[in-house]
Amino acid sequence: MTEKDFDVVVIGGGPAGMAAALEALKSVKKVAIVERNDELGGILNQCIHSGFGLQYFNEELTGPEYAQRFIDRVGDSEIEVFLNTMVLEIKDKTVIAMNEEGILKLKAKAIVLAMGCRERTRGQIRIPGTRPAGVLTAGLAQRYTNLENLKPGNRVVILGSGDIGLIMARRLKLEGLNVLSVYEIMPYANGLFRNIKNCLDDFDIPLHLSTTVTKVIGSKRLQAVEVSAVDDNLEPIPGTEEIIPCDTLLLSVGLIPENEVSKTAGVDLSKITGGPVVSNDLQTSEEGIFACGNVLHVHDLVDHVTREAEEAGRNAARYALGETSESTTQIPVEASGPVRYVLPSTITNTDEKVELKFRVGSPIEKGKVTVYLNDEPVYEGREKEFVPSIMETVTLSPEKLSDGKLRVEVK
């Protein structure tokens, strides 16, 4: 067994993990990244399309280009990187992991959780039917196409209008596959508008709303899917069934923060986001353990992930150095009305401005966000459109904060 001591240990070597580690290294000397894959970069390595870095680098990059800039920085730094290393559990700020050399015990003064997220699978959405080859998540199809140079099929149906599915609709069309349609159970698209326009409209790929796959048909290989319209309760409408011959079904039906390791540390998880419950310094319910990126909540842009991760890295380093004191301030923050969730869940530091991040549960054509402190408005936004695919932010100055409870509402 190998034992090592660090100031900050970051779990996950994707964009969030690398940004958090690099930021922590500005204040402390001993920082480690633990990554289960054989390379840093995470999901960005297979995202060969452009559109990354417009906010962080002020230029348009592909996913691998964005990742490589941070990989190079980590490689030129004193950060110790453990690749092909699987974290088994976190116990008393000790990260217990395993790789080909055996068991590792990495003792940390502070830990940053940056494990990213995973895709929902067919089993999680319970599509009836047989179990043939040809049913896979959009992210897996992306890996096959972009990294493994493999063709996932010929005639493709996509279920779900998440951004990965939209991007893969375009990608497979460019590779010569027949992308038949995208079906979305909700009455609105879940991806960013730019992806609807650039990936579907520009390539004449139809999007069918309020429609879902109700049956998988095939023996060894997928032969067809049954699709049906759904009612206001998202239940299939009898008599609307249609059989679509195809050999490939891609699922783009949502992402789940990867928090199995977080559970071993006793971190409280949100029932809405699936990510850790955090205060405004991104500290979880377990003192000295911080969370950022898609393991906390699913983000729209990697640029936002990077900024949030840098904040987590700074705060973890401050904790490791003993520069934080136990706060007596506890201002709970809750979502109200059409607001599905809001982060952070608690404000413990009122010395600096606080950024509230939230999403609505369904589109609102015209609405205005209001933040209440003990039912008194302390912030009112302008009237605008709200959609679930875009994360909104509200910044509150310290003078807006005092004892009580904050509530975020859109109406």
Side-chain angles (χ1 to χ4, degrees):
M1 179 182 295
T2 301
E3 295 190 18
K4 291 192 173 186
D5 294 334
F6 293 94
D7 296 309
V8 176
V9 172
V10 179
I11 303 176
M18 291 189 290
L22 287 165
E23 191 67 22
L25 193 65
K26 294 178 181 179
S27 302
V28 296
K29 294 182 178 179
K30 300 186 70 177
V31 178
I33 295 175
V34 184
E35 169 56 49
R36 66 184 178 186
N37 290 331
D38 57 4
E39 60 184 354
L40 296 174
I43 197 68
L44 290 184
N45 292 325
Q46 67 186 51
C47 299
I48 65 172
H49 54 281
S50 60
F52 301 91
L54 289 168
Q55 295 187 21
Y56 190 83
F57 289 111
N58 293 317
E59 59 181 299
E60 190 172 27
L61 305 170
T62 65
E65 288 173 331
Y66 189 100
Q68 193 63 47
R69 295 198 176 188
F70 286 92
I71 293 171
D72 291 342
R73 293 178 187 180
V74 170
D76 292 338
S77 74
E78 300 289 323
I79 297 171
E80 188 165 352
V81 179
F82 297 88
L83 297 176
N84 289 310
T85 302
M86 176 68 72
V87 174
L88 303 177
E89 65 175 329
I90 301 172
K91 189 175 182 180
D92 299 327
K93 290 201 194 69
T94 297
V95 176
I96 301 172
M98 181 177 67
N99 59 22
E100 60 185 7
E101 296 179 5
I103 299 296
L104 303 176
K105 291 183 73 174
L106 310 179
K107 297 181 179 179
K109 296 176 183 177
I111 294 172
V112 178
L113 306 173
M115 294 87 71
C117 58
R118 64 179 185 269
E119 295 177 278
R120 291 188 188 277
T121 63
R122 176 188 173 184
Q124 289 170 308
I125 60 173
R126 301 177 181 179
I127 304 175
T130 55
R131 297 179 62 83
V135 180
L136 59 162
T137 63
L140 181 57
Q142 186 181 56
R143 180 177 180 86
Y144 283 163
T145 306
N146 295 346
L147 294 184
E148 309 295 341
N149 196 29
L150 297 173
K151 183 180 178 182
N154 294 294
R155 290 174 57 85
V156 183
V157 166
I158 299 176
L159 176 61
S161 58
D163 289 309
I164 302 175
L166 301 177
I167 289 166
M168 283 311 296
R170 176 181 63 184
R171 183 76 181 95
L172 296 179
K173 186 90 170 188
L174 288 170
E175 286 296 328
L177 279 68
N178 185 3
V179 182
L180 303 173
S181 291
V182 176
Y183 295 94
E184 170 58 56
I185 192 171
M186 303 303 291
Y188 52 85
N190 276 303
L192 295 172
F193 175 77
R194 71 182 190 192
N195 287 331
I196 299 291
K197 176 68 174 65
N198 297 340
C199 300
L200 298 189
D201 296 348
D202 289 356
F203 289 84
D204 296 322
I205 300 171
L207 169 63
H208 300 275
L209 301 176
S210 297
T211 311
T212 191
V213 173
T214 46
K215 192 174 184 180
V216 170
I217 302 168
S219 52
K220 292 184 178 180
R221 178 78 193 193
L222 181 67
Q223 296 172 318
V225 295
E226 177 190 86
V227 299
S228 303
V230 299
D231 58 23
D232 293 341
N233 297 318
L234 307 184
E235 294 294 329
I237 301 173
T240 63
E241 300 89 350
E242 181 182 359
I243 302 298
I244 310 295
C246 61
D247 63 9
T248 306
L249 173 63
L250 299 192
L251 304 177
S252 180
V253 290
L255 302 169
I256 305 171
E258 188 73 78
N259 275 295
E260 297 308 310
V261 170
S262 307
K263 293 176 185 176
T264 69
V267 169
D268 292 341
L269 301 180
S270 165
K271 294 180 180 178
I272 304 298
T273 65
V277 175
V278 296
S279 56
N280 60 309
D281 61 357
L282 299 177
Q283 188 167 205
T284 69
S285 58
E286 291 296 310
E287 187 178 327
I289 299 180
F290 299 78
C292 60
N294 284 348
V295 80
L296 178 58
H297 62 130
V298 178
H299 291 62
D300 311 333
L301 303 173
V302 70
D303 308 69
H304 297 163
V305 166
T306 300
R307 296 292 188 195
E308 184 176 88
E310 289 176 337
E311 183 183 351
R314 280 194 300 272
N315 292 334
R318 289 179 58 205
Y319 182 91
L321 292 170
E323 295 179 355
T324 59
S325 56
E326 187 172 348
S327 175
T328 57
T329 303
Q330 292 286 334
I331 304 175
V333 185
E334 64 179 32
S336 178
V339 177
R340 183 167 174 263
Y341 74 84
V342 60
L343 285 172
S345 301
T346 310
I347 295 173
T348 57
N349 176 15
T350 58
D351 294 334
E352 301 175 353
K353 65 181 181 181
V354 173
E355 188 174 72
L356 304 179
K357 303 174 183 178
F358 70 92
R359 288 185 193 272
V360 295
S362 59
I364 299 171
E365 188 173 339
K366 284 187 178 181
K368 185 169 65 173
V369 60
T370 304
V371 181
Y372 297 91
L373 178 65
N374 299 328
D375 296 326
E376 291 294 327
V378 293
Y379 175 92
E380 288 190 39
R382 60 180 177 83
E383 192 173 71
K384 55 173 286 189
E385 180 185 17
F386 293 85
V387 292
S389 60
I390 297 180
M391 183 175 66
E392 304 285 348
T393 60
V394 167
T395 302
L396 299 180
S397 56
E399 57 267 21
K400 298 283 188 180
L401 303 171
S402 62
D403 290 340
K405 179 172 66 175
L406 281 175
R407 176 167 55 88
V408 180
E409 184 174 86
V410 173
K411 58 183 180 180

